[in-house]
């Protein structure tokens, strides 16, 4: 089986983290975002993954070569010379995706994090016998999204309604698809949208079916949603694989800590925290609802909440970092500094407090 991951462009919404690595390589719960997807695809029987990418393909490939051998899955890049939207990349990779076997292939949006019930999706696709399956998720505020109107009994998609002003349904496209090779005949080699141009055509032929995603779903392409996504992911881990969560007197709620990280005495960590490889958390530190990436040092009695601390950064003693502060790679916050929603570019030293949300160049 084959799969294509829509990696796309520059990851501007997750800057300053994406100034150091392409967005799919940004850590989420202690491993690159894209690895969560590749592992799920491998578990569902996929043998080859195509990354549709128009930015830094060589960085992606050199990084993923290690995982290719470790996971036993082939990873190739399909490079776009210009942004091709969400359907153009499928036409570009047609030769790889349609190998003549007639097997369907997966398409995933690289920003999406969920429990990836891909094996169930294969069964669903075989059962309904249509041309394409899409995963949908229920949301509280459908007016912010494009809504999928479907038959709840059969899953057959009737139509799509963009940002409806009156209630037509609460299910939205979750960015996970399983498509038969015949779908490729409907896609031209040009910048085009699968959601707006291809799926409505298939729905009109009554060959598009939607499966409601069990469990959680989040598009983690921007900091606030990334932090929410971490909470949902750790909740799901508590149910599915609680052995991966940290335990101890210093832990509150759901926390993941890399085995190489060091945690001092008298700390209070959690809920909803990820501490990466080689981090040093000194004594008396308070961490909640945050990600602390590889190689970070947090000095004594500092407090970090609702924030993302980029690779190899340092937080000084008694510093307070909160309210969606995002530190790029190698940022050094001095002792006793307060950051209220600061977004700090890589390789900076912060010597005075950031009292309101702002970008520090």
């Amino acid at each position: 089986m084959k799969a294509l991951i829509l990696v796309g462009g520059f990851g501007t919404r997750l800057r300053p983290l994406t100034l150091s690595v392409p967005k799919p390589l940004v850590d989420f719960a202690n491993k690159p975002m894209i690895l969560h997807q590749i592992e799920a695809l491998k578990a569902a029987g996929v043998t080859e993954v195509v990354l549709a990418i128009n930015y830094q393909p060589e960085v992606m490939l050199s990084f993923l070569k290690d995982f290719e051998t470790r996971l036993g899955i082939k990873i190739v890049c399909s490079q776009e010379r210009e942004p091709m939207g969400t359907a153009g990349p499928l036409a570009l990779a047609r030769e790889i995706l349609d190998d003549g076997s007639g097997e369907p292939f997966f398409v995933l949006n690289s920003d999406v994090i969920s429990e990836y019930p891909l094996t169930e999706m294969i069964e669903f696709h075989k059962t309904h016998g249509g041309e394409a399956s899409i995963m949908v998720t229920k949301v509280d505020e459908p007016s912010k999204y494009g809504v999928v109107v479907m038959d709840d009994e059969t899953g057959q998609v009737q139509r799509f309604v963009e940002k409806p002003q009156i209630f037509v349904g609460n299910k939205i496209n979750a960015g996970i698809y399983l498509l038969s090779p015949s779908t490729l005949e409907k896609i031209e080699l040009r910048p085009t949208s699968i959601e707006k141009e291809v799926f409505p055509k298939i729905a009109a032929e009554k060959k598009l079916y939607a499966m409601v995603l069990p469990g959680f779903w989040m598009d983690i392409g921007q900091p606030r949603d990334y932090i929410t996504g971490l909470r949902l992911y750790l909740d799901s881990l508590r149910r599915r694989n609680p052995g991966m969560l940290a335990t101890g007197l210093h832990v509150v709620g759901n926390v993941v800590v890399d085995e190489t990280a060091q945690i001092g005495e008298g700390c209070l960590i959690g809920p909803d925290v990820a501490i990466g490889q080689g981090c040093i958390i000194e004594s008396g530190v308070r961490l909640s609802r945050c990600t602390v990436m590889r190689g970070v040092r947090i000095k004594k009695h500092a407090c970090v909440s609702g924030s993302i601390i980029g690779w190899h950064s340092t937080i000084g003693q008694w510093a307070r970092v909160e309210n969606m502060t995002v530190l790029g790679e190698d940022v050094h916050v001095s002792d006793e500094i307060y950051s209220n929603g600061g977004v700090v570019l890589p390789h900076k030293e912060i010597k005075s407090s950031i009292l309101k949300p702002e970008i520090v160049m």
Side-chain angles (χ1 to χ4, degrees):
M1 249 188 125
K2 309 284 175 76
L4 180 134
I5 300 178
L6 295 163
V7 173
F10 301 111
T12 47
R13 295 179 306 159
L14 259 190
R15 282 182 182 161
L17 301 168
T18 48
L19 296 173
S20 297
V21 296
K23 181 172 60 178
L25 299 185
V26 170
D27 295 331
F28 177 82
N30 292 351
K31 62 183 163 192
M33 286 183 189
I34 201 164
L35 205 53
H36 291 271
Q37 298 187 328
I38 292 173
E39 286 176 350
L41 289 165
K42 165 74 180 168
V46 169
T47 53
E48 184 171 1
V49 176
V50 183
L51 306 179
I53 188 166
N54 61 26
Y55 176 61
Q56 292 185 318
E58 56 294 326
V59 179
M60 289 283 292
L61 269 184
S62 64
F63 181 88
L64 290 166
K65 279 292 166 217
D66 298 349
F67 294 106
E68 201 175 33
T69 39
R70 206 185 306 170
L71 295 171
I73 191 168
K74 188 177 177 188
I75 302 171
V76 296
C77 266
S78 169
Q79 190 177 1
E80 306 163 27
R81 298 296 168 201
E82 59 171 330
M84 295 289 280
T86 50
L90 277 71
L92 201 59
R94 179 178 278 129
E95 306 290 304
I96 305 172
L97 297 172
D98 185 5
D99 56 6
S101 67
E103 280 281 310
F105 57 88
F106 282 105
V107 178
L108 276 74
N109 180 334
S110 72
D111 289 356
V112 165
I113 199 91
S114 74
E115 287 172 11
Y116 306 115
L118 304 180
T119 310
E120 295 89 320
M121 196 176 191
I122 295 169
E123 283 307 308
F124 174 75
H125 188 76
K126 283 179 183 163
T127 307
H128 68 62
E131 192 168 55
S133 304
I134 67 173
M135 203 81 87
V136 294
T137 185
K138 293 178 181 175
V139 292
D140 295 334
E141 284 188 62
S143 61
K144 288 163 42 180
Y145 303 93
V147 171
V148 180
V149 182
M150 58 186 270
D151 181 316
D152 288 334
E153 293 293 309
T154 63
Q156 191 178 82
V157 175
Q158 294 153 350
R159 62 198 167 104
F160 296 86
V161 183
E162 195 57 40
K163 297 185 178 168
Q165 294 311 299
I166 55 166
F167 185 83
V168 291
N170 65 346
K171 299 178 191 78
I172 66 164
N173 178 348
I176 302 170
Y177 318 129
L178 185 58
L179 311 177
S180 299
S182 56
T183 313
L184 294 168
E185 293 160 22
K186 296 182 167 68
I187 303 172
E188 295 172 34
L189 184 55
R190 62 179 175 84
T192 171
S193 161
I194 198 164
E195 301 85 357
K196 293 190 171 122
E197 296 181 55
V198 180
F199 287 156
K201 280 184 203 166
I202 304 174
E205 294 170 5
K206 302 197 179 333
K207 291 181 181 173
L208 181 64
Y209 289 79
M211 171 181 158
V212 179
L213 179 73
F216 79 101
W217 175 88
M218 200 72 211
D219 177 327
I220 55 172
Q222 54 193 357
R224 193 168 295 280
D225 295 337
Y226 176 106
I227 293 289
T228 303
L230 181 64
R231 172 175 62 79
L232 297 170
Y233 173 82
L234 294 176
D235 272 351
S236 152
L237 213 52
R238 167 75 64 195
R239 289 194 309 277
R240 293 178 303 131
N241 197 351
M244 289 184 69
L245 295 170
T247 53
L249 291 173
H250 62 289
V251 172
V252 185
N254 300 331
V255 173
V256 284
V257 179
D258 188 271
E259 59 189 14
T260 59
Q262 299 171 36
I263 296 177
E265 291 182 5
C267 291
L268 189 58
I269 294 172
D272 309 323
V273 172
I275 298 174
Q277 191 182 346
C279 290
I280 297 173
I281 313 296
E282 295 184 5
S283 58
V285 165
R286 175 74 179 106
L287 303 177
S288 65
R289 299 185 340 276
C290 64
T291 284
V292 180
M293 292 185 181
R294 185 181 65 249
V296 165
R297 181 181 211 106
I298 300 184
K299 296 187 178 174
K300 293 175 184 175
H301 307 293
C303 174
V304 179
S305 70
S307 297
I308 303 173
I309 311 301
W311 311 269
H312 306 290
S313 292
T314 307
I315 308 287
Q317 295 185 34
W318 295 103
R320 187 176 184 93
V321 174
E322 62 185 25
N323 190 24
M324 222 47 65
T325 291
V326 184
L327 304 186
E329 182 182 15
D330 182 41
V331 168
H332 301 283
V333 175
S334 299
D335 294 350
E336 300 180 24
I337 291 294
Y338 173 55
S339 172
N340 173 20
V343 173
V344 185
L345 272 63
H347 316 297
K348 297 281 169 205
E349 191 169 357
I350 303 298
K351 292 180 174 175
S352 56
S353 289
I354 301 167
L355 301 176
K356 61 181 196 307
E358 62 176 290
I359 296 170
V360 178
M361 309 286 276

